[in-house]
mmCIF file of all heavy atoms in Angstrom:
data_model
loop_
_atom_site.group_PDB
_atom_site.id
_atom_site.type_symbol
_atom_site.label_atom_id
_atom_site.label_comp_id
_atom_site.label_asym_id
_atom_site.label_seq_id
_atom_site.Cartn_x
_atom_site.Cartn_y
_atom_site.Cartn_z
ATOM 1 N N GLU A 180 8.605 14.176 -13.581
ATOM 2 C CA GLU A 180 8.573 13.542 -12.269
ATOM 3 C C GLU A 180 9.281 14.389 -11.187
ATOM 4 O O GLU A 180 8.746 14.467 -10.069
ATOM 5 C CB GLU A 180 9.190 12.143 -12.301
ATOM 6 C CG GLU A 180 8.403 11.118 -13.152
ATOM 7 C CD GLU A 180 7.216 10.627 -12.418
ATOM 8 O OE1 GLU A 180 7.031 10.924 -11.254
ATOM 9 O OE2 GLU A 180 6.476 9.817 -13.036
ATOM 10 N N ARG A 181 10.445 14.918 -11.610
ATOM 11 C CA ARG A 181 11.173 15.788 -10.633
ATOM 12 C C ARG A 181 10.267 17.074 -10.284
ATOM 13 O O ARG A 181 10.286 17.558 -9.194
ATOM 14 C CB ARG A 181 12.516 16.151 -11.073
ATOM 15 C CG ARG A 181 13.452 15.019 -11.196
ATOM 16 C CD ARG A 181 14.937 15.499 -11.403
ATOM 17 N NE ARG A 181 15.018 16.079 -12.768
ATOM 18 C CZ ARG A 181 15.382 15.417 -13.745
ATOM 19 N NH1 ARG A 181 15.622 14.067 -13.720
ATOM 20 N NH2 ARG A 181 15.494 16.029 -14.956
ATOM 21 N N GLN A 182 9.690 17.586 -11.330
ATOM 22 C CA GLN A 182 8.888 18.818 -11.215
ATOM 23 C C GLN A 182 7.644 18.423 -10.221
ATOM 24 O O GLN A 182 7.257 19.213 -9.346
ATOM 25 C CB GLN A 182 8.459 19.341 -12.490
ATOM 26 C CG GLN A 182 7.656 20.625 -12.395
ATOM 27 C CD GLN A 182 7.289 21.227 -13.733
ATOM 28 O OE1 GLN A 182 7.770 20.718 -14.745
ATOM 29 N NE2 GLN A 182 6.531 22.256 -13.764
ATOM 30 N N LEU A 183 7.110 17.206 -10.424
ATOM 31 C CA LEU A 183 6.007 16.824 -9.641
ATOM 32 C C LEU A 183 6.383 16.685 -8.160
ATOM 33 O O LEU A 183 5.682 17.105 -7.306
ATOM 34 C CB LEU A 183 5.519 15.515 -10.177
ATOM 35 C CG LEU A 183 4.267 14.839 -9.397
ATOM 36 C CD1 LEU A 183 3.031 15.802 -9.485
ATOM 37 C CD2 LEU A 183 3.870 13.443 -10.013
ATOM 38 N N GLU A 184 7.577 16.092 -7.939
ATOM 39 C CA GLU A 184 8.088 15.985 -6.574
ATOM 40 C C GLU A 184 8.368 17.294 -5.893
ATOM 41 O O GLU A 184 8.073 17.492 -4.742
ATOM 42 C CB GLU A 184 9.289 15.040 -6.591
ATOM 43 C CG GLU A 184 9.967 14.807 -5.215
ATOM 44 C CD GLU A 184 9.049 14.087 -4.170
ATOM 45 O OE1 GLU A 184 8.031 13.446 -4.663
ATOM 46 O OE2 GLU A 184 9.197 14.299 -2.985
ATOM 47 N N ALA A 185 8.946 18.187 -6.689
ATOM 48 C CA ALA A 185 9.184 19.548 -6.206
ATOM 49 C C ALA A 185 7.976 20.255 -5.894
ATOM 50 O O ALA A 185 7.850 20.942 -4.827
ATOM 51 C CB ALA A 185 10.033 20.383 -7.260
ATOM 52 N N THR A 186 6.949 20.078 -6.597
ATOM 53 C CA THR A 186 5.583 20.674 -6.412
ATOM 54 C C THR A 186 5.026 20.124 -5.115
ATOM 55 O O THR A 186 4.460 20.869 -4.347
ATOM 56 C CB THR A 186 4.695 20.396 -7.598
ATOM 57 O OG1 THR A 186 5.211 21.034 -8.720
ATOM 58 C CG2 THR A 186 3.271 21.000 -7.296
ATOM 59 N N ARG A 187 5.145 18.871 -4.957
ATOM 60 C CA ARG A 187 4.595 18.209 -3.718
ATOM 61 C C ARG A 187 5.340 18.693 -2.476
ATOM 62 O O ARG A 187 4.741 19.058 -1.412
ATOM 63 C CB ARG A 187 4.818 16.701 -3.773
ATOM 64 C CG ARG A 187 4.188 15.837 -2.652
ATOM 65 C CD ARG A 187 4.670 14.467 -2.673
ATOM 66 N NE ARG A 187 6.171 14.387 -2.330
ATOM 67 C CZ ARG A 187 6.684 14.476 -1.046
ATOM 68 N NH1 ARG A 187 5.825 14.756 -0.035
ATOM 69 N NH2 ARG A 187 7.931 14.428 -0.897
ATOM 70 N N ARG A 188 6.727 18.798 -2.528
ATOM 71 C CA ARG A 188 7.520 19.284 -1.406
ATOM 72 C C ARG A 188 7.127 20.760 -1.030
ATOM 73 O O ARG A 188 6.969 21.095 0.083
ATOM 74 C CB ARG A 188 9.024 19.155 -1.690
ATOM 75 C CG ARG A 188 9.502 17.735 -1.579
ATOM 76 C CD ARG A 188 11.030 17.727 -1.378
ATOM 77 N NE ARG A 188 11.639 18.439 -2.479
ATOM 78 C CZ ARG A 188 12.111 17.836 -3.663
ATOM 79 N NH1 ARG A 188 11.874 16.588 -3.820
ATOM 80 N NH2 ARG A 188 12.633 18.520 -4.581
ATOM 81 N N GLN A 189 6.987 21.522 -2.056
ATOM 82 C CA GLN A 189 6.687 22.938 -1.834
ATOM 83 C C GLN A 189 5.301 23.183 -1.299
ATOM 84 O O GLN A 189 5.096 23.952 -0.375
ATOM 85 C CB GLN A 189 6.771 23.754 -3.210
ATOM 86 C CG GLN A 189 6.592 25.268 -3.047
ATOM 87 C CD GLN A 189 7.614 25.927 -2.193
ATOM 88 O OE1 GLN A 189 8.785 25.568 -2.312
ATOM 89 N NE2 GLN A 189 7.207 26.740 -1.249
ATOM 90 N N TYR A 190 4.383 22.299 -1.726
ATOM 91 C CA TYR A 190 3.002 22.337 -1.168
ATOM 92 C C TYR A 190 2.972 21.956 0.280
ATOM 93 O O TYR A 190 2.402 22.585 1.118
ATOM 94 C CB TYR A 190 2.078 21.360 -1.941
ATOM 95 C CG TYR A 190 0.749 21.158 -1.210
ATOM 96 C CD1 TYR A 190 -0.230 22.175 -1.068
ATOM 97 C CD2 TYR A 190 0.528 19.934 -0.671
ATOM 98 C CE1 TYR A 190 -1.398 21.903 -0.444
ATOM 99 C CE2 TYR A 190 -0.716 19.695 0.017
ATOM 100 C CZ TYR A 190 -1.600 20.641 0.080
ATOM 101 O OH TYR A 190 -2.796 20.454 0.752
ATOM 102 N N GLU A 191 3.757 20.912 0.665
ATOM 103 C CA GLU A 191 3.869 20.452 2.016
ATOM 104 C C GLU A 191 4.449 21.500 2.877
ATOM 105 O O GLU A 191 3.996 21.764 4.037
ATOM 106 C CB GLU A 191 4.660 19.188 2.072
ATOM 107 C CG GLU A 191 3.882 17.873 1.567
ATOM 108 C CD GLU A 191 2.685 17.608 2.417
ATOM 109 O OE1 GLU A 191 2.615 17.876 3.633
ATOM 110 O OE2 GLU A 191 1.621 17.202 1.771
ATOM 111 N N LEU A 192 5.461 22.195 2.348
ATOM 112 C CA LEU A 192 6.063 23.282 3.131
ATOM 113 C C LEU A 192 5.117 24.441 3.348
ATOM 114 O O LEU A 192 4.915 24.892 4.502
ATOM 115 C CB LEU A 192 7.340 23.785 2.415
ATOM 116 C CG LEU A 192 8.119 24.858 3.080
ATOM 117 C CD1 LEU A 192 8.761 24.398 4.387
ATOM 118 C CD2 LEU A 192 9.133 25.382 2.116
ATOM 119 N N ASP A 193 4.470 24.811 2.263
ATOM 120 C CA ASP A 193 3.463 25.941 2.418
ATOM 121 C C ASP A 193 2.229 25.554 3.238
ATOM 122 O O ASP A 193 1.756 26.305 4.042
ATOM 123 C CB ASP A 193 2.941 26.414 1.028
ATOM 124 C CG ASP A 193 4.050 26.969 0.139
ATOM 125 O OD1 ASP A 193 5.121 27.422 0.785
ATOM 126 O OD2 ASP A 193 3.948 27.015 -1.100
ATOM 127 N N ARG A 194 1.828 24.270 3.139
ATOM 128 C CA ARG A 194 0.640 23.874 3.885
ATOM 129 C C ARG A 194 0.993 23.790 5.378
ATOM 130 O O ARG A 194 0.195 24.170 6.215
ATOM 131 C CB ARG A 194 0.260 22.412 3.414
ATOM 132 C CG ARG A 194 -1.012 21.905 4.064
ATOM 133 C CD ARG A 194 -1.160 20.459 3.893
ATOM 134 N NE ARG A 194 -0.074 19.732 4.523
ATOM 135 C CZ ARG A 194 -0.017 19.532 5.830
ATOM 136 N NH1 ARG A 194 -0.858 19.938 6.681
ATOM 137 N NH2 ARG A 194 1.084 18.860 6.378
ATOM 138 N N ARG A 195 2.225 23.263 5.738
ATOM 139 C CA ARG A 195 2.614 23.168 7.129
ATOM 140 C C ARG A 195 2.784 24.520 7.786
ATOM 141 O O ARG A 195 2.273 24.724 8.825
ATOM 142 C CB ARG A 195 3.934 22.405 7.154
ATOM 143 C CG ARG A 195 4.357 22.056 8.665
ATOM 144 C CD ARG A 195 5.652 21.289 8.676
ATOM 145 N NE ARG A 195 5.619 20.109 7.857
ATOM 146 C CZ ARG A 195 6.354 19.872 6.798
ATOM 147 N NH1 ARG A 195 7.133 20.909 6.325
ATOM 148 N NH2 ARG A 195 6.298 18.791 6.149
ATOM 149 N N GLN A 196 3.394 25.488 6.996
ATOM 150 C CA GLN A 196 3.440 26.827 7.509
ATOM 151 C C GLN A 196 2.055 27.442 7.803
ATOM 152 O O GLN A 196 1.814 28.060 8.723
ATOM 153 C CB GLN A 196 4.279 27.700 6.567
ATOM 154 C CG GLN A 196 4.492 29.087 7.062
ATOM 155 C CD GLN A 196 5.385 29.942 6.144
ATOM 156 O OE1 GLN A 196 5.928 29.329 5.208
ATOM 157 N NE2 GLN A 196 5.437 31.199 6.363
ATOM 158 N N ALA A 197 1.142 27.308 6.760
ATOM 159 C CA ALA A 197 -0.168 27.853 6.940
ATOM 160 C C ALA A 197 -0.891 27.209 8.028
ATOM 161 O O ALA A 197 -1.704 27.851 8.806
ATOM 162 C CB ALA A 197 -0.894 27.776 5.610
ATOM 163 N N ALA A 198 -0.761 25.853 8.272
ATOM 164 C CA ALA A 198 -1.459 25.122 9.258
ATOM 165 C C ALA A 198 -0.961 25.575 10.664
ATOM 166 O O ALA A 198 -1.722 25.698 11.612
ATOM 167 C CB ALA A 198 -1.237 23.629 9.092
ATOM 168 N N GLU A 199 0.371 25.843 10.766
ATOM 169 C CA GLU A 199 0.903 26.270 12.013
ATOM 170 C C GLU A 199 0.390 27.666 12.396
ATOM 171 O O GLU A 199 0.088 27.942 13.526
ATOM 172 C CB GLU A 199 2.459 26.331 11.937
ATOM 173 C CG GLU A 199 3.083 24.892 11.912
ATOM 174 C CD GLU A 199 4.650 25.047 11.694
ATOM 175 O OE1 GLU A 199 5.117 26.125 11.489
ATOM 176 O OE2 GLU A 199 5.233 23.933 11.760
ATOM 177 N N GLU A 200 0.332 28.562 11.384
ATOM 178 C CA GLU A 200 -0.225 29.861 11.562
ATOM 179 C C GLU A 200 -1.719 29.837 11.970
ATOM 180 O O GLU A 200 -2.109 30.520 12.848
ATOM 181 C CB GLU A 200 -0.050 30.737 10.294
ATOM 182 C CG GLU A 200 1.418 31.109 9.970
ATOM 183 C CD GLU A 200 1.653 31.768 8.708
ATOM 184 O OE1 GLU A 200 0.539 31.872 7.931
ATOM 185 O OE2 GLU A 200 2.698 32.115 8.359
ATOM 186 N N LEU A 201 -2.473 28.886 11.308
ATOM 187 C CA LEU A 201 -3.817 28.683 11.708
ATOM 188 C C LEU A 201 -3.944 28.210 13.130
ATOM 189 O O LEU A 201 -4.840 28.623 13.866
ATOM 190 C CB LEU A 201 -4.542 27.748 10.673
ATOM 191 C CG LEU A 201 -5.963 27.425 10.974
ATOM 192 C CD1 LEU A 201 -6.833 28.678 10.870
ATOM 193 C CD2 LEU A 201 -6.484 26.366 10.041
ATOM 194 N N ALA A 202 -3.076 27.254 13.569
ATOM 195 C CA ALA A 202 -3.065 26.725 14.900
ATOM 196 C C ALA A 202 -2.849 27.880 15.907
ATOM 197 O O ALA A 202 -3.532 27.862 16.993
ATOM 198 C CB ALA A 202 -2.081 25.663 15.044
ATOM 199 N N LEU A 203 -1.956 28.767 15.583
ATOM 200 C CA LEU A 203 -1.650 29.844 16.471
ATOM 201 C C LEU A 203 -2.912 30.820 16.607
ATOM 202 O O LEU A 203 -3.162 31.283 17.664
ATOM 203 C CB LEU A 203 -0.470 30.678 15.947
ATOM 204 C CG LEU A 203 0.907 30.012 16.128
ATOM 205 C CD1 LEU A 203 1.967 30.888 15.472
ATOM 206 C CD2 LEU A 203 1.219 29.795 17.548
ATOM 207 N N LEU A 204 -3.589 31.000 15.471
ATOM 208 C CA LEU A 204 -4.770 31.796 15.481
ATOM 209 C C LEU A 204 -5.899 31.085 16.258
ATOM 210 O O LEU A 204 -6.614 31.837 17.067
ATOM 211 C CB LEU A 204 -5.236 32.136 14.092
ATOM 212 C CG LEU A 204 -4.364 33.028 13.203
ATOM 213 C CD1 LEU A 204 -4.889 33.125 11.775
ATOM 214 C CD2 LEU A 204 -4.347 34.474 13.858
ATOM 215 N N GLU A 205 -6.064 29.779 16.122
ATOM 216 C CA GLU A 205 -6.943 29.080 16.899
ATOM 217 C C GLU A 205 -6.698 29.110 18.346
ATOM 218 O O GLU A 205 -7.619 29.259 19.229
ATOM 219 C CB GLU A 205 -7.032 27.589 16.458
ATOM 220 C CG GLU A 205 -7.564 27.414 15.089
ATOM 221 C CD GLU A 205 -9.020 27.551 14.955
ATOM 222 O OE1 GLU A 205 -9.672 27.798 15.973
ATOM 223 O OE2 GLU A 205 -9.550 27.498 13.859
ATOM 224 N N LYS A 206 -5.402 29.126 18.738
ATOM 225 C CA LYS A 206 -4.952 29.205 20.144
ATOM 226 C C LYS A 206 -5.328 30.617 20.694
ATOM 227 O O LYS A 206 -5.764 30.808 21.766
ATOM 228 C CB LYS A 206 -3.472 29.055 20.273
ATOM 229 C CG LYS A 206 -3.060 28.622 21.684
ATOM 230 C CD LYS A 206 -1.615 28.133 21.681
ATOM 231 C CE LYS A 206 -1.181 27.666 23.006
ATOM 232 N NZ LYS A 206 0.197 27.141 22.995
ATOM 233 N N GLU A 207 -5.155 31.686 19.825
ATOM 234 C CA GLU A 207 -5.538 32.975 20.197
ATOM 235 C C GLU A 207 -7.016 33.053 20.420
ATOM 236 O O GLU A 207 -7.529 33.748 21.279
ATOM 237 C CB GLU A 207 -5.071 33.998 19.125
ATOM 238 C CG GLU A 207 -3.604 34.335 19.070
ATOM 239 C CD GLU A 207 -3.147 34.998 20.283
ATOM 240 O OE1 GLU A 207 -3.863 35.956 20.761
ATOM 241 O OE2 GLU A 207 -2.091 34.659 20.814
ATOM 242 N N LYS A 208 -7.786 32.307 19.588
ATOM 243 C CA LYS A 208 -9.229 32.282 19.726
ATOM 244 C C LYS A 208 -9.709 31.756 21.040
ATOM 245 O O LYS A 208 -10.589 32.191 21.743
ATOM 246 C CB LYS A 208 -9.897 31.588 18.514
ATOM 247 C CG LYS A 208 -11.354 31.635 18.560
ATOM 248 C CD LYS A 208 -11.980 30.917 17.320
ATOM 249 C CE LYS A 208 -13.463 30.995 17.301
ATOM 250 N NZ LYS A 208 -14.099 30.292 16.177
ATOM 251 N N GLU A 209 -8.846 30.742 21.505
ATOM 252 C CA GLU A 209 -9.204 30.142 22.807
ATOM 253 C C GLU A 209 -9.094 31.049 23.913
ATOM 254 O O GLU A 209 -9.759 31.055 24.883
ATOM 255 C CB GLU A 209 -8.333 28.815 23.002
ATOM 256 C CG GLU A 209 -8.659 27.732 22.037
ATOM 257 C CD GLU A 209 -7.676 26.571 22.288
ATOM 258 O OE1 GLU A 209 -6.807 26.695 23.143
ATOM 259 O OE2 GLU A 209 -7.770 25.623 21.505
ATOM 260 N N LYS A 210 -8.105 32.022 23.750
ATOM 261 C CA LYS A 210 -7.889 33.023 24.797
ATOM 262 C C LYS A 210 -9.077 33.966 24.877
ATOM 263 O O LYS A 210 -9.158 34.720 25.862
ATOM 264 C CB LYS A 210 -6.574 33.731 24.504
ATOM 265 C CG LYS A 210 -5.303 32.917 24.582
ATOM 266 C CD LYS A 210 -4.136 33.803 24.275
ATOM 267 C CE LYS A 210 -2.850 33.030 24.393
ATOM 268 N NZ LYS A 210 -1.609 33.880 23.948
ATOM 269 N N LEU A 211 -9.933 33.965 23.934
ATOM 270 C CA LEU A 211 -11.013 34.924 23.940
ATOM 271 C C LEU A 211 -12.042 34.499 24.976
ATOM 272 O O LEU A 211 -13.030 35.170 25.222
ATOM 273 C CB LEU A 211 -11.566 35.123 22.570
ATOM 274 C CG LEU A 211 -10.689 35.726 21.582
ATOM 275 C CD1 LEU A 211 -11.368 35.889 20.286
ATOM 276 C CD2 LEU A 211 -10.155 37.053 22.095
ATOM 277 N N ALA A 212 -11.956 33.270 25.410
ATOM 278 C CA ALA A 212 -12.730 32.842 26.599
ATOM 279 C C ALA A 212 -11.914 33.135 27.803
ATOM 280 O O ALA A 212 -10.825 32.616 28.082
ATOM 281 C CB ALA A 212 -13.050 31.329 26.477
ATOM 282 N N VAL A 213 -12.370 34.114 28.619
ATOM 283 C CA VAL A 213 -11.611 34.654 29.714
ATOM 284 C C VAL A 213 -11.846 33.847 30.983
ATOM 285 O O VAL A 213 -13.019 33.580 31.333
ATOM 286 C CB VAL A 213 -12.034 36.078 30.021
ATOM 287 C CG1 VAL A 213 -11.053 36.741 31.082
ATOM 288 C CG2 VAL A 213 -11.869 36.954 28.736
ATOM 289 N N TYR A 214 -10.814 33.302 31.549
ATOM 290 C CA TYR A 214 -10.915 32.471 32.717
ATOM 291 C C TYR A 214 -10.312 33.102 33.976
ATOM 292 O O TYR A 214 -9.412 33.998 33.832
ATOM 293 C CB TYR A 214 -10.158 31.110 32.452
ATOM 294 C CG TYR A 214 -10.747 30.335 31.345
ATOM 295 C CD1 TYR A 214 -10.179 30.445 30.010
ATOM 296 C CD2 TYR A 214 -11.951 29.589 31.453
ATOM 297 C CE1 TYR A 214 -10.819 29.757 28.944
ATOM 298 C CE2 TYR A 214 -12.470 28.883 30.426
ATOM 299 C CZ TYR A 214 -11.861 28.964 29.141
ATOM 300 O OH TYR A 214 -12.447 28.331 28.086
ATOM 301 N N ALA A 215 -10.700 32.733 35.130
ATOM 302 C CA ALA A 215 -10.169 33.231 36.436
ATOM 303 C C ALA A 215 -8.786 32.873 36.593
ATOM 304 O O ALA A 215 -8.359 31.648 36.561
ATOM 305 C CB ALA A 215 -11.071 32.795 37.560
#
Side-chain angles (χ1 to χ4, degrees):
E180 291 282 359
R181 288 193 295 270
Q182 188 177 350
L183 180 63
E184 178 61 22
T186 300
R187 185 193 66 78
R188 287 198 301 268
Q189 186 62 44
Y190 167 69
E191 284 299 324
L192 182 65
D193 294 341
R194 185 199 62 79
R195 188 180 303 112
Q196 181 178 352
E199 290 174 356
E200 292 172 356
L201 179 61
L203 289 176
L204 290 173
E205 292 287 358
K206 200 168 185 180
E207 285 294 319
K208 185 177 180 181
E209 291 177 3
K210 293 181 182 178
L211 297 183
V213 185
Y214 299 99

